[in-house]
Amino acid sequence: MQEDVARAISQRNLSGILRLMFEGGPPRPRLGRNTETDLWEYKSDCPQLGKAHEGGWAHVAADVLGFHNHRGGLLIFGLDDKRYAFVGATRILDSKKFNDQIRRYLGDVIWVDFYREYIQDDQRYLGIALIPPRGPAPARFKSAAPLIGGKRLFEAHGSALRDGDSTRIMDPAAADRYMRSVAVPKYGEKYAIDEQGYRILAPEYDDFLSRGELGEIVEKSLRDPRVSVTSLIGVGGIGKTALATWATLRAYDSLEFPFIVSTTAKDRELTSVGIMGLQAGLSSYEDLLDQIVDVLGFPELRTEEIGERERSVRLLLETTRGMLYVDNLETVDDKRLIAFLDDLPLGVKALVTSRRSSVRTAARPIDVPPLRDRELVQYLRLLARERTYKYLSTLSDTEAMAVGRAWDGIPLAIRWGLSRTASVKEALSQADLQMLDRLHGEQLLEFSFRRVFDRLAIGERAVLETLSVLERPIPTEAVIAGAGLPGHQVLDAVEDLLADAMVYRVFDELRNDYCFTTLPITRAFTRRDLARRPNVARAAQRRLSAWFEATDVADSDERLVVRELRQGRGTDDTALTDLAMAAERRGDLDTAERLYKQALRRNPRSWKAARTAAEFYRHKRNDGLEALALYRTAGAHAPTRGHERARIIREWCLLLRDSCEPRAAQEAEEKLLVAHESDPQDPIARHALAGLYDRRGAYRKVIEVLEPIRKTQNPKTRQASLPLLLKAYDRSREIVKAAELRRELEG
């Protein structure tokens, strides 16, 4: 019967565990289960949350590690460990809270599912912590237990093992001996190629999904003499390792490199039964140097001091000019390894995969994006060749795309999600649920993001939290407002997150600018993390709401315009132009100029924005050349007739007339004639046209243009234009008309 429990634990079969372990209500252990074993242990309650109870959680972490390193197990909360009677656990926990408490001691290579079962009317319950068995490598404590009474329960780098009905704690030295005793070989099936000069990781795929242009980009980068390090960047499970391994095997087949060394720092994987620890081949700078000398056939260099060994390796690399492939670089904390890759000898190439962009010198980062629709169909077709997923062969292309999109186009997420289904109907139902609620398994989220998230700077976390508040992309200004940090700090954080593939940039055609967002799976992780810090989430929401409502704008009329712009309703150039004019009125010329430019970027064909901006440059910036260029734009897109066109042409020609451009006067005359004909009642266009005729001595044309307004009573027109008409009469020998007009002007 105990082996049945062990099987249910490895399968994470909760219903089977409850059936095998308990009976009655309130629950009590079945016959033979009322004792503790190497598979389960009873506790009356869970420790409380908070720093004051770290010691209690250290004991839980020790038991979790002990069971994990053995063959998995159960921590059962709510049963008295003396009489094994139900007393009910009282601390309300879930899987995330439970793992958050033990993570400080165990890191993120173990995920424990926590269930609340047999919940009573007073909310007491039976808590089941289901601990998975280890993978090839036992795990260690990542940090020491707190000091209590002058003693620590365990030390950092020590370990634990379940031994009968108790957990045996090992110090680091004892843990080393235990690790050696159960170690699995590092080489062998781990490598597809393992021969003199070449050691290449075995692919994790049966059939490679060609990513088309992406594969070509990787291979081109490996051949580019300007690039030393090609970095494949993306979230966990996006397919970086598969792509890099494919490219490395292709390089081997092509005989491009005299040697290839490949190694992985991967120390865990996500399986259908949870996050499992692995035997990492690379954990330090020394490991990389050792693997290089092994592949090149100089194992005796392993015994040299690290400084001498590095010099020897560099000399070997300089003379051979081969290729290094390092997988999962972000899991290695040794900065010497990054420095080594940043300073590779000329001609040596490196291909690395990482969730973060670490190598900077002569490096080409290549973002590995989610699968596109066509690739989703191909990937599901490849999965259907495996026995586990054979039922997927009946999926239509449309259904395959729906399933893939539900898991954000991430291969690991798709595989992990489908491992929990057994039919097409169930897979499609799960996809509908995913798209509706954007739910993602906690183990998947922790596996894909926890390591990167825990290393983020304050500004980077603030940006992610801000972007996770909304489902849609938002502009830079909104990100800065929501993060509540100085603009330069937020912009730097955005750039770093873009390099980490945690944030994506989307071009907004209405704004004619970039906006920022995250993948739904990233947003789901961040929101779960925010759930335990509701005050932070509410503060980000308040800041974003204030920005979108423009509460920072004092002027009520201006606030209406700004609100429309920020909320995306004022998407044309008119709102931006109005906002620029408001800034101009209050004397904020720099802001006005920036807004005029933004309005013209948003709609380069806007004659209204061009005309208004031209007047700004003409009168506020005294920049006649820029004003002339803008009037030229306005004239090209103005209405074909009417008052507005006449006004634009008129002002354009006035600027053109006074410019130094060749044929300026002739062009201005031609355009002013059009403006005058479009609006004969415009006195300014009439006067300007007459002035140009006068400039070239065409006095008959001056008379033709100005004589119709000789009797005008408008004092400005009489003062400006009638002296010009009098001059034309005099020069044309119209003596009678000149005398009459002179008397009118003098009288």
Side-chain angles (χ1 to χ4, degrees), residues 45-63:
D45 205 349
C46 310
Q48 295 184 41
L49 303 180
K51 194 172 182 63
H53 304 282
E54 287 181 344
W57 283 105
H59 278 277
V60 171
D63 287 330

Side-chain angles (χ1 to χ4, degrees), residues 163-205:
D163 188 1
D165 61 355
S166 62
T167 298
R168 175 162 56 91
I169 304 295
M170 293 178 276
D171 61 24
D176 288 342
R177 291 192 294 272
Y178 172 66
M179 300 294 173
R180 287 194 294 270
S181 70
V182 297
V184 296
K186 287 188 177 181
Y187 311 126
E189 292 185 0
K190 180 178 179 179
Y191 297 102
I193 309 294
D194 192 4
E195 60 190 47
Q196 182 66 41
Y198 295 93
R199 180 172 288 160
I200 302 175
L201 294 171
E204 297 177 346
Y205 51 82

Side-chain angles (χ1 to χ4, degrees), residues 22 53 94 110 220 228 252 255 298 484 595 667:
F22 303 104
H53 304 282
D94 56 25
I110 305 172
K220 182 179 179 181
S228 293
Y252 170 80
L255 302 177
F298 296 91
L595 290 166
E667 187 180 352

Side-chain angles (χ1 to χ4, degrees), residues 42-44 78-87:
Y42 297 112
K43 296 180 180 292
S44 58
L79 289 179
D80 183 280
D81 59 359
K82 299 291 191 298
R83 299 176 294 110
Y84 307 114
F86 178 81
V87 294

Side-chain angles (χ1 to χ4, degrees), residues 9 12 38-40 60-75 102 106 108-112 129-141 159-163 167 178-179 267-269 271 273-278:
I9 290 171
R12 290 183 178 263
D38 64 337
L39 286 175
W40 64 81
V60 171
D63 287 330
V64 167
L65 186 59
F67 281 122
H68 175 74
N69 282 340
H70 182 46
R71 51 175 178 164
L74 305 169
L75 282 179
I102 64 173
L106 303 182
D108 57 0
V109 298
I110 305 172
W111 178 267
V112 177
L130 200 166
I131 303 150
R134 70 173 176 87
R140 297 175 184 256
F141 293 113
S159 192
L161 184 66
R162 190 69 180 181
D163 188 1
T167 298
Y178 172 66
M179 300 294 173
D267 62 353
R268 59 182 189 152
E269 65 180 356
T271 70
V273 296
I275 301 173
M276 306 294 289
L278 297 174

Side-chain angles (χ1 to χ4, degrees), residues 681-697:
Q681 305 305 315
D682 182 358
I684 298 177
R686 182 188 297 271
H687 174 78
L689 180 60
L692 286 173
Y693 287 151
D694 176 75
R695 179 183 290 185
R696 66 181 178 88

Side-chain angles (χ1 to χ4, degrees), residues 43-315:
K43 296 180 180 292
S44 58
D45 205 349
C46 310
Q48 295 184 41
L49 303 180
K51 194 172 182 63
H53 304 282
E54 287 181 344
W57 283 105
H59 278 277
V60 171
D63 287 330
V64 167
L65 186 59
F67 281 122
H68 175 74
N69 282 340
H70 182 46
R71 51 175 178 164
L74 305 169
L75 282 179
I76 301 166
F77 300 92
L79 289 179
D80 183 280
D81 59 359
K82 299 291 191 298
R83 299 176 294 110
Y84 307 114
F86 178 81
V87 294
T90 59
R91 279 63 156 171
I92 306 302
L93 296 175
D94 56 25
S95 294
K96 184 178 186 306
K97 291 179 180 178
F98 188 94
N99 284 279
D100 284 345
Q101 296 305 308
I102 64 173
R103 182 177 294 111
R104 73 190 72 177
Y105 306 118
L106 303 182
D108 57 0
V109 298
I110 305 172
W111 178 267
V112 177
D113 283 324
F114 187 86
Y115 303 95
R116 295 173 65 227
E117 301 295 327
Y118 300 103
I119 299 175
Q120 308 296 299
D121 292 340
D122 59 2
Q123 296 303 302
R124 289 180 302 131
Y125 65 93
L126 188 73
I128 308 288
L130 200 166
I131 303 150
R134 70 173 176 87
R140 297 175 184 256
F141 293 113
K142 301 299 181 184
S143 61
L147 199 62
I148 297 176
K151 295 183 178 180
R152 298 186 190 275
L153 179 62
F154 50 78
E155 302 174 46
H157 309 300
S159 192
L161 184 66
R162 190 69 180 181
D163 188 1
D165 61 355
S166 62
T167 298
R168 175 162 56 91
I169 304 295
M170 293 178 276
D171 61 24
D176 288 342
R177 291 192 294 272
Y178 172 66
M179 300 294 173
R180 287 194 294 270
S181 70
V182 297
V184 296
K186 287 188 177 181
Y187 311 126
E189 292 185 0
K190 180 178 179 179
Y191 297 102
I193 309 294
D194 192 4
E195 60 190 47
Q196 182 66 41
Y198 295 93
R199 180 172 288 160
I200 302 175
L201 294 171
E204 297 177 346
Y205 51 82
D206 293 324
D207 298 288
F208 179 69
L209 173 65
S210 174
R211 301 295 299 269
E213 185 180 90
L214 192 58
E216 295 174 9
I217 292 172
V218 174
E219 292 191 303
K220 182 179 179 181
S221 180
L222 288 173
R223 298 187 184 103
D224 192 332
R226 299 166 298 176
V227 178
S228 293
V229 181
T230 300
S231 298
L232 304 188
I233 309 298
V235 299
I238 203 77
K240 305 183 297 294
T241 298
L243 181 59
T245 305
W246 170 83
T248 304
L249 288 169
R250 294 255 300 180
Y252 170 80
D253 291 337
S254 67
L255 302 177
E256 290 183 62
F257 298 99
F259 79 85
I260 298 177
V261 178
S262 64
T263 184
T264 181
K266 184 180 292 185
D267 62 353
R268 59 182 189 152
E269 65 180 356
L270 181 63
T271 70
S272 60
V273 296
I275 301 173
M276 306 294 289
L278 297 174
Q279 184 81 28
L282 176 69
S283 59
S284 68
Y285 180 43
E286 286 85 353
D287 286 341
L288 179 62
L289 296 180
D290 288 347
Q291 295 207 36
I292 292 173
V293 298
D294 282 348
V295 173
L296 294 181
F298 296 91
E300 66 275 9
L301 296 179
R302 277 174 167 262
T303 59
E304 292 182 346
E305 294 295 328
I306 184 63
E308 187 61 34
R309 198 183 333 165
E310 179 180 350
R311 284 189 289 272
S312 299
V313 167
R314 285 191 173 277
L315 182 60

